[in-house]
Amino acid sequence: AFDVGASHYLIKPFTDEKFKEVLLKAACDVQKRNRKRSGDSTRYIIIQDGISRISIDTADIIYAEVLNRTVTIHLTNRDVSYRGSMVELSNQLGDGFFQTHRSFLVNMKYVTSYSSAGVETPKGMVAIARGNLKHFVKTFMDYIRIEDE
């Protein structure tokens, strides 16, 4: 039951009222998951670039990379760079993103393919550390399963 994501058990005999209650709870759970994964509940992060602050819709982030404490966030329509750390960005973004390498963080939504060589996105290949591949594959499969529900 855990493998297929069962949300409840009905013991026979059950009433129409109990069936309705369980069905409504399951539907509510699916809606919450879908809102969390899709753009229905838009989440923003604020980054500071010098004296200005930039609001970024997390759904537009394809991946981020860091080099010499300069984080570059590759968005669907532009790139934004600022001084910071990958750890801080990863903590802000949370679910739906995976740190493939100490220097890269990928939005699972934009993964088009993967191999031991890296993760392919619409903006190019992102490196994946050899030790992270197995965990990435499991996380990606879980993400795909939730998206398909």
Side-chain angles (χ1 to χ4, degrees):
F2 289 116
D3 289 342
V4 296
S7 62
H8 201 283
Y9 294 96
L10 288 170
I11 310 284
K12 291 182 182 179
F14 55 87
T15 65
D16 288 346
E17 186 177 300
K18 183 65 176 175
F19 178 72
K20 183 179 177 182
E21 174 189 327
V22 170
L23 187 60
L24 288 174
K25 183 185 179 307
C28 184
D29 290 346
V30 169
Q31 284 179 339
K32 283 180 188 175
R33 270 188 266 159
N34 287 343
R35 272 196 305 270
K36 191 174 184 180
R37 297 287 185 196
S38 73
D40 290 352
S41 59
T42 305
R43 290 185 345 193
Y44 290 91
I45 59 169
I46 306 295
I47 59 168
Q48 186 166 347
D49 182 24
I51 57 170
S52 63
R53 288 182 173 73
I54 303 167
S55 175
I56 296 175
D57 183 344
T58 60
D60 291 337
I61 298 172
I62 295 175
Y63 74 94
E65 63 182 309
V66 65
L67 180 63
N68 298 327
R69 289 207 38 92
T70 298
V71 176
T72 301
I73 299 176
H74 300 276
L75 301 164
T76 55
N77 58 354
R78 64 191 168 121
D79 295 342
V80 176
S81 295
Y82 69 100
R83 300 277 296 158
S85 79
M86 192 59 74
V87 172
E88 292 167 357
L89 180 60
S90 180
N91 289 338
Q92 280 186 290
L93 293 174
D95 289 343
F97 290 83
F98 187 90
Q99 192 162 354
T100 59
H101 183 277
R102 67 183 174 150
S103 300
F104 294 97
L105 186 65
V106 175
N107 187 340
M108 299 300 252
K109 172 180 167 181
Y110 291 104
V111 172
T112 57
S113 67
Y114 64 87
S115 68
S116 58
V119 176
E120 187 68 39
T121 73
K123 286 225 173 171
M125 183 71 81
V126 175
I128 187 165
R130 206 177 334 213
N132 290 351
L133 183 60
K134 187 176 179 179
H135 183 58
F136 172 81
V137 171
K138 182 186 178 335
T139 305
F140 184 65
M141 291 301 144
D142 289 344
Y143 178 83
I144 294 296
R145 184 176 56 90
I146 289 170
E147 283 292 306
D148 288 341
E149 289 180 349

